[in-house]
Amino acid sequence: MGFPINRPALLLLFALLLYTVFRRITKKQTVLDTLPWVGLPGGPFAKIRAKLAVKNVRAVFVSSWELYSSQGKSFLFPTFLGRPLIVLPCAELQWIAEQPESTLSVHAELKESLALDHALLDPAILSSPIHETVIRGELTRTLGATIEPVRDELLHGLGALWGTSTRWHDVGVWDSLTQIIGRASSRIFVGPVLCRNEEFVKSTVDFAIAVIVSGNLLRPIPASLKSLFGSVLLALNRKHFRIAARHLVPLIEQRKADLTGAQEDKSVNHNEPGDLLQWNIVNSLNSQDCREWDSELIAKRCMATSFAAIHTTSTEATNVLFDIASSPPEMGVLDSLREEAIHVYDESGRLWTKASLAKLVRMDSVIRESLRLGALGAFGLVRKVVARGGLVSSTGVELPEGSNIAVHNVGIQMLDGHYENAAVWDPFRFSRMRGPPDGEDAGRDSCGKDVGDILRDRKMAAVSTAPDFLTFGHGKHACPGRFFAVQEIKLLLLAIILNFDIQHIQHRPQNVWLNNNQTPPTEAKLAVRKLERPLLE
């Protein structure tokens, strides 16, 4: 399918793109002249060439940590086609986390870094994030009720995409998991009918990819020209949304009519669906802004949630599986996880609940360790300075209005300093920190523990943020969906390890760093086979 635009207009847009990119990457940063740059190549136009660098950046992360961040100094990192990122020392971490949105803004940074006000097809998604309120509220409060539906959908998806053969066969991990997680997430987001509609699920996955691609292409373009370029660059976003909307909008209209009918006739017993779509509809109808009642906007909010959930959870799950598969056989990671799962399941009345999932401390440690090394970004707590006239950090660094700041996530989580042997994937690193020696912790609960032990255990959980664990952010703007995401990954791992064998691989396929973003090995495969009998009936 070609772009819906004629060739002369396309050439003009391309010329404008080159011009605006050139202006952006050559714009002088006079206020920041005192801070050192990292990753500058030798020769002329060093800063311009550094901003165009995409690959081979890990060495820059290591050297910048050793030279600056670990020494309590700030520096500038050249982001791809954008303004340099001010990387503050770790001493600023808590200060950043405590700043209000009106001073250091998460949403303004997302709006700039991925042009999400355009890529998500409506600026209201960011300016009035009703869906975030739903995730923090209704979704998190009802996590227990989502366990069985998600588990059912994961088993169905694995059967459909990994097959039932008891012989070794290859599966594309990333491709299959995006579909499986797309289905399972959609079960909770839009209900049991659409989650198995292949066209709808594919459109949500394709939309998520289109958002990332288009957002990166729109990022260097000045705000005044984004709408112009968006007419071309957002073509796929609109296409995938239209496909999803064909299914979503009629469902939304029907549910709105059901709600209206229930309000008008109190004698009708109306059982509301317990999914994210219904909560979004109710919250939108309760809004004072009548535009929020629009069914298409509600559908876009649903797609925005799917974008965040599918991309991040699939990335995290892919990393965990490759980490487990490549772990040394003598560590017995797979057997240890199976032993724990069977023990907890039997001890918990052969039922998976929030309480029983919380007892999977080894599995939780495996997930947290993979999250530590597989963090999506090299830098954490990324914010845009929106305070009028800028501000000064707690250590005296001048932060101009409009600049972007962060701390060194690679150094904190992946280089020696905060963690022993930080570069090594140690599956039970965090379960050991919880107390008993490894092998004695299967299914431990909080009985008999003092308050200090309980608090320590919570701090080691995969969902917990900390100054030395920034994968989900930290502070008031920590990822609101992390509780659902980690629960979904646990249920996915249970579905896999109790029903499939995973063949050991000698070397883990490497993740790829593209500028300051890390992606899992999307083309790599694993050999799996269905067990003759599931380990749990």
Side-chain angles (χ1 to χ4, degrees), residues 353-374:
T353 63
K354 279 183 66 177
S356 58
L357 290 177
K359 295 179 182 179
L360 298 173
V361 294
R362 297 179 192 168
M363 181 177 288
D364 192 86
S365 177
V366 165
I367 293 170
R368 186 175 174 93
E369 180 71 349
S370 291
L371 288 169
R372 179 181 72 83
L373 289 173

Side-chain angles (χ1 to χ4, degrees), residues 129-346:
I130 289 175
H131 55 289
E132 284 189 15
T133 303
V134 170
I135 293 169
R136 294 181 190 277
E138 287 92 335
L139 179 61
T140 301
R141 284 198 301 269
T142 59
L143 277 180
T146 69
I147 291 173
E148 277 307 308
V150 168
R151 180 172 172 269
D152 176 60
E153 211 53 52
L154 291 170
L155 289 169
H156 183 271
L158 284 167
L161 293 169
W162 282 26
T164 57
S165 174
T166 55
R167 300 188 176 207
W168 291 112
H169 58 282
D170 288 343
V171 295
V173 178
W174 169 260
D175 287 341
S176 63
L177 288 187
T178 53
Q179 294 295 321
I180 292 167
I181 289 169
R183 293 182 183 191
S185 298
S186 294
R187 177 72 175 264
I188 305 306
F189 294 169
V190 297
V193 177
L194 285 187
C195 76
R196 294 192 182 180
N197 183 305
E198 291 187 9
E199 183 181 65
F200 174 77
V201 173
K202 185 177 185 302
S203 70
T204 61
V205 174
D206 291 343
F207 180 80
I209 296 171
V211 167
I212 295 171
V213 173
S214 62
N216 277 289
L217 292 174
L218 281 169
R219 179 176 57 186
I221 298 173
S224 59
L225 295 176
K226 275 186 168 62
S227 295
L228 175 63
F229 284 93
S231 63
V232 174
L233 298 177
L234 299 177
L236 288 178
N237 306 46
R238 287 189 287 267
K239 172 189 172 183
H240 300 313
F241 173 73
R242 283 196 301 270
I243 295 171
R246 285 205 298 264
H247 304 280
L248 269 178
V249 171
L251 180 59
I252 293 168
E253 293 288 347
Q254 180 59 55
R255 291 195 182 186
K256 286 163 68 175
D258 291 342
L259 282 170
T260 302
Q263 291 172 353
E264 293 174 351
D265 186 355
K266 301 296 184 182
S267 65
V268 177
N269 184 19
H270 176 60
N271 294 318
E272 289 189 15
D275 55 40
L276 195 101
L277 177 61
Q278 186 72 14
W279 300 325
N280 271 329
I281 292 171
V282 172
N283 277 269
S284 296
L285 293 178
N286 289 334
S287 172
Q288 298 298 313
D289 182 357
C290 61
R291 186 170 179 273
E292 293 292 346
W293 309 344
D294 180 64
S295 296
E296 189 167 290
L297 179 55
I298 296 172
K300 287 175 181 175
R301 291 193 182 282
C302 189
M303 294 294 282
T305 304
S306 294
F307 151 68
I310 292 171
H311 178 257
T312 55
T313 308
S314 298
T315 296
E316 292 152 3
T318 298
N319 281 324
V320 172
L321 278 185
F322 280 119
D323 288 335
I324 293 173
S326 60
S327 62
E330 58 270 20
M331 293 183 71
V333 175
L334 193 56
D335 289 339
S336 181
L337 294 178
R338 285 170 169 165
E339 174 197 358
E340 178 184 60
I342 293 170
H343 176 85
V344 168
Y345 190 69
D346 288 338

Side-chain angles (χ1 to χ4, degrees), residues 84-99:
L85 182 69
I86 304 173
V87 183
L88 298 173
C90 299
E92 303 275 21
L93 194 151
Q94 197 61 37
W95 175 79
I96 296 173
E98 292 172 352
Q99 296 306 300

